[in-house]
Amino acid sequence: MDMKKRIHLELRNRTPSDVKELVLDNCRSNEGKIEGLTDEFEELEFLSTINVGLTSVANLPKLKKLKKLELSDNRISGGLEVLAERCPNLTHLNLSGNKIKDLSTIEPLKKLENLKSLDLFNCEVTNLGEYRDNVFTLLPQLTYLDGYDKEDKEAPDSDAEGYTGLDDEDDEDEDGVEEEDYDEDAAPGDEDEDEEEVEEEEDEEAGDEDDLSGEEEELEDDGEDRGQKRKREADDEGEDDDDDDDDDDDD
C-alpha cells in the first residue's frame, strides 16, 4: 500500500486535525518522499514511518505538536535541520538503521531544545571513537542515547520505547494485579442477578441427578419384582407337574 492511500484510510470519518497518532510503517513512499501528510495534521503528536524508503525529511510538513518521530530503517543521510524548523517540540527521535555516518549530520539536532531521547542504533556513526561521549557533548539536552543515559543506566520503557510505537495498553493495575473485565453499562444489581441464575441452574442440575437416581432405583425394583414373579410362576408350574404325576400313579 502506498503512503497516500494509507493516510486516506486513516482519515475515514475523521479530519486531519482529529488525528494525534499516525502509523505509516512499511508503506511505499514516492521517490523517498512522504506523500499525503500536510500541515492540516496540526494536532499530530506521534508519527511512525518505519521502513518506507525515505531518503530525506525535506518535505515534512509543519507539525508543531509532534513529540515522537520514528524514522528507523530508512535511507536518510542528512538534511536533519528541517526537523528543528518543522517539528520544534520533538522529545523522542529514532533514526536507527539509517545512513548517518558522522557527528556533523546530527549537529542540527541541538536546535531541538526539548529533545530528550535519540536513537542512532545500527548507524555507522556509532562506530566512531568515544561516540557516546561526543554525542552527549554535542547535544547537551539529551537524557538518553540509544536507550541509555550518560551513566549507562537503561531508560524506563516510557522513555526508551516512547518513539517506537503507540503506547502499550497495560492490562495490570499499579500493584501488578490483573484487572477484571466488567461491563460499564451493567446496572448495579446485575451481578447479583447473574449469581442467582447460576445458583438456580445448579439446583436444577442437582434435581435432575436426583430424578435419574430415582428412576434407576425404580428400574431395579421392577427388575426384582419381575424376577420374583417369574420364580413364583416356575414354582406353580412345578406343583402342577407333581399333581399330574400323582394322578397317573392313581390310574
Side-chain angles (χ1 to χ4, degrees):
M1 181 183 296
D2 64 58
M3 193 173 293
K4 194 171 183 179
K5 185 176 181 180
R6 177 66 174 271
I7 292 176
H8 178 72
L9 290 175
E10 289 285 341
L11 290 178
R12 285 179 299 182
N13 302 320
R14 293 195 293 177
T15 63
S17 59
D18 293 329
V19 181
K20 290 187 176 182
E21 298 176 336
L22 187 60
V23 178
L24 305 173
D25 300 347
N26 302 311
C27 292
R28 294 189 301 272
S29 60
N30 183 18
E31 297 181 355
K33 298 178 181 179
I34 302 175
E35 280 196 327
L37 191 63
T38 67
D39 296 347
E40 294 178 336
F41 288 82
E42 55 189 19
E43 298 294 322
L44 195 64
E45 296 180 5
F46 175 88
L47 175 62
S48 183
T49 55
I50 299 173
N51 188 34
V52 297
L54 288 182
T55 57
S56 169
V57 290
N59 70 330
L60 196 69
K62 290 183 179 180
L63 303 170
K64 293 183 178 180
K65 291 191 177 182
L66 193 68
K67 294 180 179 179
K68 300 175 183 180
L69 178 59
E70 170 65 78
L71 295 169
S72 61
D73 299 328
N74 284 291
R75 300 194 297 271
I76 299 169
S77 59
L80 299 182
E81 60 275 0
V82 172
L83 295 178
E85 298 172 6
R86 311 284 174 81
C87 312
N89 292 306
L90 275 182
T91 60
H92 294 74
L93 176 62
N94 192 341
L95 288 165
S96 61
N98 279 279
K99 298 182 178 300
I100 298 173
K101 299 180 180 180
D102 49 58
L103 295 176
S104 61
T105 303
I106 62 171
E107 186 173 4
L109 299 180
K110 61 185 177 182
K111 292 183 179 180
L112 290 169
E113 297 178 356
N114 298 315
L115 190 63
K116 182 179 181 181
S117 181
L118 174 66
D119 195 333
L120 297 170
F121 179 75
N122 207 26
C123 292
E124 288 187 40
V125 67
T126 62
N127 297 322
L128 299 177
E130 298 183 351
Y131 152 72
R132 289 182 56 80
D133 290 340
N134 288 332
V135 173
F136 276 119
T137 300
L138 182 65
L139 306 174
Q141 77 274 35
L142 277 186
T143 302
Y144 302 107
L145 175 62
D146 303 334
Y148 292 84
D149 66 10
K150 294 178 182 179
E151 268 62 35
D152 287 334
K153 292 181 180 179
E154 190 172 3
D157 289 343
S158 59
D159 287 317
E161 298 179 359
Y163 45 77
T164 60
L166 302 180
D167 293 335
D168 294 332
E169 294 181 359
D170 193 355
D171 292 332
E172 297 183 354
D173 59 16
E174 293 180 356
D175 296 327
V177 179
E178 231 176 301
E179 294 179 354
E180 296 182 358
D181 293 335
Y182 66 94
D183 186 356
E184 294 180 353
D185 297 328
D190 287 352
E191 294 181 359
D192 294 335
E193 292 177 3
D194 292 340
E195 292 178 358
E196 290 176 2
E197 290 177 3
V198 171
E199 290 177 357
E200 289 176 1
E201 290 177 358
E202 292 177 349
D203 291 340
E204 290 176 1
E205 291 176 357
D208 292 341
E209 291 178 358
D210 292 339
D211 292 343
L212 290 172
S213 299
E215 291 176 2
E216 291 175 356
E217 290 177 358
E218 290 178 4
L219 290 172
E220 290 177 358
D221 292 341
D222 290 344
E224 291 177 359
D225 292 342
R226 285 195 294 271
Q228 291 176 358
K229 184 177 180 180
R230 283 196 297 271
K231 185 177 181 181
R232 285 197 300 270
E233 290 175 351
D235 291 342
D236 292 342
E237 289 176 359
E239 290 177 358
D240 292 341
D241 291 340
D242 290 341
D243 293 341
D244 292 340
D245 292 340
D246 290 343
D247 291 341
D248 293 338
D249 292 339
D250 292 339
D251 292 338

